[in-house]
Amino acid sequence: MRRDLPYALGGLALGVLLLGNAVLTPDAAPVEVLDVALVLAMAVGLAACRRYPVVALGVVTVAMLAVHVRVHPGVSAAFPVLGAVYVTAWQGHRAAAAVASLAFLGSFLARDISMAPAGRPGQLVAERTALLLGWFVAANVAGLVARQRQAYLEQVEQRAIEAERTREEMALRRAGEERLRIARDLHDSLTHSISVIKVQAGIAVHLARKHGETPSPTLLAIQEASGAAMRELRTTLDVLRAPTDGDRVGLARWTNWPSGPGRSAYRCR
């Protein structure tokens, strides 16, 4: 309703202007109740012009033609029709705007020819016809330009929204890739440390058995826990690691643990 308010106020203002011009014009006929009703119908049509442009254009055109025939207020009867033509063309109904313009111009021209003074009928008709023709052409063109500009602005806005959404998706994807890279590096580093613990515990157990001593339960527990942790980390890394990540620090390097006394039996495979 608030968006329709300017159209309704414009219709009332044009109605007051039209009735005032009809009263002040010397060669205009007296304004009657029917004429006031036609002006009110024009105002209602302009108020509904945004929602129902074609219907409103028809109502305004017929009402103004009737007022022009009955009262003959001059070119002021064309002002409401010009506004309705502009809004209709702006809403995309180009054919309806063109037909209404031609119908009003033809009827206005016929009325001027029939009521023209005997001394200079041609000059008066040519002046009014040229004036109204220029106004109606301008109204149609302005409506088309306004529609094209609105469509362009909508496309620009849509592109901006799409670009913003794309930037957000790219930022989220990059953040996810960075988190995944950090997780891989963390797992590689952690696997490295656990591998060292497992190897050192294994060497200690091996040396204890070599000297005929019973390995410490703590060392056996460390060896068993580190082996279980290695297996769990290997399973996790198989999911996180990409095929090209084999050169990173982690399990791939520990599978090539250098051979040496007491070490070959404790490679992490």
Side-chain angles (χ1 to χ4, degrees), residues 22-23 25-32 35 70-73:
V23 171
T25 301
D27 57 345
V31 178
E32 299 179 357
D35 303 321
R70 289 175 51 83
V71 182
H72 194 59

Side-chain angles (χ1 to χ4, degrees), residues 126-240:
E127 290 177 355
R128 289 193 174 183
T129 301
L131 179 64
L132 291 178
L133 180 61
W135 285 355
F136 275 97
V137 170
N140 281 273
V141 172
L144 295 178
V145 171
R147 179 170 180 80
Q148 292 178 356
R149 182 177 181 275
Q150 181 182 10
Y152 172 75
L153 293 178
E154 291 176 354
Q155 290 179 358
V156 171
E157 183 179 0
Q158 186 64 30
R159 291 175 182 174
I161 294 174
E162 184 67 20
E164 182 66 23
R165 184 180 63 83
T166 304
R167 283 195 297 268
E168 292 178 356
E169 291 179 353
M170 291 180 62
L172 291 175
R173 183 170 63 251
R174 291 175 179 174
E177 293 174 353
E178 183 65 17
R179 287 194 297 268
L180 182 59
R181 185 189 64 80
I182 295 173
R184 289 172 179 170
D185 293 342
L186 179 61
H187 279 79
D188 287 345
S189 177
L190 187 59
T191 303
H192 182 196
S193 300
I194 294 177
S195 299
V196 173
I197 295 172
K198 183 178 184 299
V199 170
Q200 296 297 331
I203 292 173
V205 172
H206 174 72
L207 292 176
R209 289 174 178 172
K210 184 177 180 180
H211 291 88
E213 299 176 357
T214 302
S216 172
T218 303
L219 289 175
L220 294 175
I222 293 174
Q223 185 181 23
E224 183 179 357
S226 60
M230 287 288 296
R231 288 190 295 271
E232 293 179 0
L233 284 173
R234 184 183 296 113
T235 303
T236 304
L237 286 172
D238 288 341
V239 177
L240 291 178

